Amino acid sequence: MSTAESSGVGPEYQSRNIKWSYMDHWTMRSPSGWVTPQHGIKYADRFYRQLAGVGFQGVDPFEFRLLAQAQLFGSARKAEQFAQDRGIERFVNMFVAFYDDRTHLAETHDALLRNFENKVRAFEGITLDSFIVMPVSRYWLVEPVTDDKIKTMAECWSRIGRMLKTHGIKLSCHHEFYCALHSREEIDKFYAYADPEYVGLFIDTAQHEIVGIDSTELYLQYADRVTGFHFKDTHHTDTVDDYRTPPDPERAASTTSRWFWEMGTAEGLVDFPKLMRAIKSKGYTGWLTVEHDKADIGGANYAESTCRAKWYIDNVLSPIYP
Amino acid sequence: MDNIRWSYAINQWRTVETDLARLDQMESAFKTISVCGFEAIEITDVALGGHTIPAYFGSSAKFIEFLKGCGLSCVSSYFAGLDHCNPLAPADHERMAGSAGRAAELLAELGGSRLLARPCGPYWKEAPITGEKIGVLADCWNRVGAATKSAGVKTALHVDFLGGIRREDDIHKLLALTDPELVHVALDTAEFVIAGLDPVAFLKEHGARVAHVQFKDATTVDTFDDYARENAEMEYWPMPIITAGAERGIDRWYYEMGTPGGLVDFPEVTAALRNIGYTGWIVVESDQSPHVEESVMLNGWYKKKLLAEL
C-alpha cells in the first residue's frame, strides 16, 4: 500500500494533467513564539496535514529546511516518508540556498561545481525533479550587468546543469526581481548563451510581474525550456528601481513592505487564468508550485493565504486546465 | 455517511471586535472553510447572527448568494443566546420563545434547520440543580421548541461542561420532562468528554433525541471540578471568557480532531452515529484555537481521513 493511501488523505486528482506542489516558507505560532515546520515533529505533522487536507500533492522544500528535516527524522528519505504518511505524494523541487552566487566571476565556477556535486550526494535518497537556483547575486552586487558577465553566468550553469542531468535532476533558474538577471533583455541574453539541454527556466509569476514581464508571454517564448512555475501574486511593479536597493530589495525596498501575495486577492496583478490557458495550450503536464513568500508580513499568515490560493486553484484555475 | 453533511462553526473567526467585520474577512473565512472540505457554516448571535446579515447584505438571499460565491451552500445551524434570557426564570420564557421563533425564521431563510441553545446558564451561577429547576427548564424548552418547529427548525440543547445541565442524570431528567417532538440534543464531543460523559454511550441510549452533532477534541477531563468554581465562565463580548482550569494552567480545553492525546474517539462516535441512522449536520468547531485557519485545515485533513477509514 502506498503511503499516501495509508493516511486516507492521498491525492484526489491522479488522472489530471496538473499536480499542485507547495513551496515551504511556512511559519506557525507555538507556545515559544513563531516556528517553522522544522522546529519539531509535531510542527511538521501539522504542516503536512494542513497541506494534504486542502489537496496539495507535493512539497518543494528549501535546501536548508530539507537539511533540518533530514536531521530531525534521520534522513531526507525518512523526512519524505513522514510527509507521505500524511498524504503528500513526494518532495518535488528543492530551492537551493547555500552556494557562492557570484557566478559572473569565472573563478568561482570550479568550487561551485563541487558544491553542487556534494548537494546531489546529500539528497540522493530522494527523487527531486529540479534544483532551483537564483542564477546570480543581487543586482547591486553585480552591476553593471554586461554581456560578458551574462555569458560567464551562462557558462557556469551550463556546466552545473550538465552534471545534474547525469543524476536525473534538472537545473532550474529562478529570476528574482532584484537579481542581476531580471530584465527581459538580460533573461533573453542568458538563455541565448546557456545550453538549452542543461539550463531550464523556472517562471515565478510575481517576480516577473514586479519587473514588468508578462509571465504568459515569457512562458510562450520559452515553453520548451520551462521546468516549472511558482504561482504567486504581487500588488506592485517596481517603478523606482527598487531592485537595486542594498542589502535586500525583498525586505528593504521603498515601494512596499510586502511584495508577494497569494492568488485571488483583488489587487493582484498577475493574470493567472491567461497563464493557465497558455499552459494548457502547450500541453504542459506535471507539477505546478504555489509559493507564498513572506506571507506573514503585516499580521497575515500562511494558513489563510494557502487556503485562499487553493480555493482559487480549485474554483478558477482547475476548471481551465485540471 | 451519505446522510451526513459537514459544516463549520464560524464563531472562532469572531473572537475580537475587529474580526469578521468586513466583507473581505468574511470572504476569506468562507473560502477557507470551503477549500477545507466543509459545505456550510454554523452562526451565533455575535458571528453573523441577529441583525448582522440584513445589515451587511440587505437580505438573506443576497447573503446566500455571497456564501455560494465562496463555495459554501448554506447556514446549517444557529447557536442562539435568546436575548440573554434565563431559562430558569419563567418570566423570561415568552421572550425566549419569541426570540427563538425569529431566529428560526431567519435560519430557515438561510437554509438551516437546527437552532442550538444552552439548556441552562453556568453551573457555578445556577447550582444546585434541583428537580424543581429542571422542571422549569423543561417548560422553557418545550415552549421554545414549539416556536421553532413552526419554522421547520428543530431546537437542540447544547450540553457543555460549564453549564448547569452537565451531569448524566440531570440530562436524563430534562429529556424525560421534555417533548421528544420539540426538544432535542446537540451532542458536542469535547464538551461531553470534558464533563466526563461518554458520547458513544449517550448515542446508544438517547440517539433518537440527538438532532445535531458538533465535533471537537479535548485533552483533559474536568476531574478537579473546575466547572464549579466562581467565575468559571464569565459573560463577555464577543465571546465568553473561560477561566475554568486557569489555576492549574489550562489555557485551552478544546482542540482539533486528531490532536495527539485527544480523548474523543471520533471513529467510534461516527460509527455510533451511523448505527443509529443519524441524518443531519456534523459541525466542526475551533473554539479556543490560537490560529483558526490552521485549525480548520487540520480538521479538514482529519475529516478526510475519518471518511476514508469508514
Side-chain angles (χ1 to χ4, degrees):
Chain A
M1 184 168 65
S2 79
T3 47
E5 286 168 349
S6 69
S7 73
V9 195
E12 297 168 357
Y13 311 122
Q14 290 183 351
S15 63
R16 295 187 169 194
N17 302 297
I18 299 299
K19 294 180 179 182
W20 287 93
S21 185
Y22 188 87
M23 174 82 205
D24 174 17
H25 289 258
W26 198 272
T27 59
M28 64 184 89
R29 294 184 182 110
S30 82
S32 53
W34 288 95
V35 296
T36 73
Q38 290 70 35
H39 278 74
I41 290 172
K42 66 179 177 180
Y43 302 119
D45 178 43
R46 292 170 69 92
F47 172 62
Y48 291 123
R49 286 189 190 200
Q50 288 171 85
L51 292 183
V54 294
F56 283 100
Q57 296 149 283
V59 170
D60 285 15
F62 272 112
E63 180 183 11
F64 68 95
R65 289 194 174 210
L66 186 50
L67 285 170
Q69 286 208 54
Q71 200 169 339
L72 193 63
F73 292 102
S75 69
R77 176 68 201 112
K78 286 179 180 173
E80 187 179 55
Q81 183 67 55
F82 184 85
Q84 289 172 332
D85 288 343
R86 282 142 188 84
I88 295 296
E89 187 177 319
R90 68 182 179 90
F91 296 150
V92 183
N93 307 299
M94 183 178 75
F95 206 110
V96 179
F98 303 124
Y99 58 96
D100 184 346
D101 61 3
R102 296 174 300 160
T103 59
H104 59 295
L105 304 175
E107 58 267 34
T108 66
H109 292 185
D110 286 347
L112 261 170
L113 180 65
R114 287 195 297 275
N115 185 345
F116 274 75
E117 287 170 342
N118 289 336
K119 294 181 192 302
V120 170
R121 280 191 287 276
F123 300 106
E124 62 188 3
I126 58 174
T127 300
L128 292 165
D129 291 2
S130 273
F131 278 10
I132 306 172
V133 298
M134 183 167 87
V136 66
S137 290
R138 281 162 276 182
Y139 204 93
W140 69 275
L141 290 168
V142 179
E143 63 181 325
V145 178
T146 63
D147 279 12
D148 282 346
K149 286 180 181 175
I150 294 175
K151 189 178 286 183
T152 304
M153 299 170 204
E155 286 167 0
C156 174
W157 293 116
S158 295
R159 195 173 161 198
I160 291 174
R162 184 167 59 242
M163 179 276 293
L164 289 176
K165 189 175 181 182
T166 64
H167 297 280
I169 300 169
K170 287 178 270 192
L171 186 279
S172 297
C173 294
H174 177 280
H175 300 265
E176 280 77 356
F177 78 91
Y178 55 87
C179 95
L181 287 171
H182 81 305
S183 70
R184 186 61 184 265
E185 184 184 3
E186 290 158 0
I187 288 172
D188 286 342
K189 284 180 182 171
F190 175 73
Y191 287 97
Y193 292 135
D195 190 325
E197 196 175 341
Y198 305 125
V199 180
L201 166 61
F202 204 94
I203 290 179
D204 183 307
T205 53
Q207 298 281 7
H208 295 306
E209 190 74 32
I210 291 168
V211 178
I213 297 172
D214 182 312
S215 293
T216 303
E217 290 176 14
L218 187 66
Y219 170 60
L220 289 173
Q221 180 178 338
Y222 289 102
D224 294 342
R225 300 178 72 167
V226 168
T227 51
F229 297 81
H230 278 162
F231 274 60
K232 67 175 185 272
D233 211 344
T234 183
H235 295 172
H236 304 278
T237 52
D238 176 10
T239 58
V240 293
D241 291 354
D242 269 338
Y243 68 92
R244 300 172 72 181
T245 308
D248 181 350
E250 273 194 358
R251 296 171 179 81
S254 62
T255 299
T256 178
S257 60
R258 181 177 175 184
W259 286 103
F260 305 120
W261 291 80
E262 64 273 16
M263 291 185 283
T265 61
E267 304 89 343
L269 297 178
V270 176
D271 189 340
F272 292 106
K274 179 180 163 188
L275 177 59
M276 206 66 192
R277 286 191 291 273
I279 287 171
K280 180 182 180 182
S281 75
K282 291 292 183 183
Y284 179 100
T285 58
W287 295 94
L288 299 176
T289 302
V290 168
E291 185 183 35
H292 297 142
D293 191 349
K294 304 168 191 64
D296 46 5
I297 289 174
N301 66 80
Y302 281 94
E304 184 176 16
S305 291
T306 301
C307 285
R308 289 186 61 116
K310 190 59 170 54
W311 189 96
Y312 188 86
I313 289 168
D314 293 350
N315 291 275
V316 180
L317 299 184
S318 291
I320 294 170
Y321 189 41
Chain B
M1 301 299 288
D2 292 343
N3 298 322
I4 290 178
R5 300 170 73 185
W6 292 81
S7 176
Y8 212 92
I10 195 75
N11 60 326
Q12 197 59 26
W13 274 265
R14 177 74 174 154
T15 55
V16 295
E17 64 175 318
T18 51
D19 286 344
L20 217 59
R22 299 192 316 268
L23 294 190
D24 64 303
Q25 293 173 313
M26 295 181 201
E27 178 187 343
S28 188
F30 298 162
K31 287 181 174 177
T32 297
I33 290 169
S34 165
V35 80
C36 290
F38 300 91
E39 66 153 304
I41 56 169
E42 179 172 286
I43 63 175
T44 67
D45 284 342
V46 296
L48 300 175
H51 300 295
T52 310
I53 288 173
Y56 275 99
F57 296 92
S59 69
S60 297
K62 285 184 178 169
F63 175 71
I64 291 297
E65 191 180 323
F66 183 84
L67 208 58
K68 287 183 174 174
C70 297
L72 299 172
S73 65
C74 65
V75 174
S76 61
S77 38
Y78 183 172
F79 201 136
L82 305 182
D83 291 354
H84 303 284
C85 292
N86 185 351
L88 282 170
D92 282 0
H93 291 183
E94 184 175 352
R95 188 173 171 194
M96 291 177 75
S99 176
R102 288 189 295 277
E105 287 170 10
L106 171 68
L107 179 60
E109 286 180 4
L110 299 170
S113 56
R114 298 292 184 270
L115 187 87
L116 281 65
R118 290 183 92 184
C120 182
Y123 181 90
W124 74 269
K125 277 188 178 177
E126 308 298 357
I129 305 301
T130 63
E132 186 182 349
K133 286 182 178 176
I134 293 174
V136 173
L137 294 174
D139 290 344
C140 173
W141 297 116
N142 279 330
R143 201 162 171 180
V144 168
T148 65
K149 189 179 182 185
S150 59
V153 169
K154 287 184 178 178
T155 293
L157 299 179
H158 179 270
V159 173
D160 65 77
F161 89 99
L162 293 168
I165 297 296
R166 62 181 310 286
R167 292 170 50 218
E168 201 163 354
D169 54 346
D170 289 343
I171 299 169
H172 293 172
K173 283 178 194 166
L174 182 59
L175 290 179
L177 291 172
T178 49
D179 185 339
E181 296 297 316
L182 301 177
V183 180
H184 310 270
V185 172
L187 187 154
D188 182 315
T189 52
E191 301 287 1
F192 264 59
V193 164
I194 297 168
L197 304 172
D198 180 351
V200 173
F202 187 85
L203 283 167
K204 286 178 182 168
E205 188 172 357
H206 295 291
R209 298 294 292 271
V210 174
H212 195 70
V213 176
Q214 292 180 328
F215 271 11
K216 58 180 183 272
D217 210 344
T219 58
T220 309
V221 178
D222 183 6
T223 52
F224 286 72
D225 293 345
D226 285 317
Y227 70 95
R229 293 170 193 258
E230 186 176 2
N231 295 326
E233 174 195 349
M234 299 189 296
E235 281 191 37
Y236 197 65
W237 181 87
M239 298 278 272
I241 294 171
I242 296 174
T243 67
E247 288 180 12
R248 56 180 172 129
I250 296 177
D251 293 322
R252 185 180 177 189
W253 290 94
Y254 311 116
Y255 286 85
E256 299 85 7
M257 296 188 289
T259 296
L263 299 174
V264 177
D265 189 336
F266 289 103
E268 280 290 314
V269 173
T270 309
L273 288 168
R274 188 172 51 188
N275 290 340
I276 66 168
Y278 176 77
T279 61
W281 294 100
I282 293 177
V283 178
V284 181
E285 293 191 293
S286 295
D287 290 22
Q288 295 186 310
S289 164
H291 192 164
V292 67
E293 288 86 7
E294 285 201 11
S295 291
V296 65
M297 293 175 86
L298 290 168
N299 280 322
W301 182 89
Y302 190 88
K303 169 186 158 261
K304 281 187 181 178
K305 179 173 180 286
L306 187 65
L307 293 178
E309 288 170 356
L310 289 168

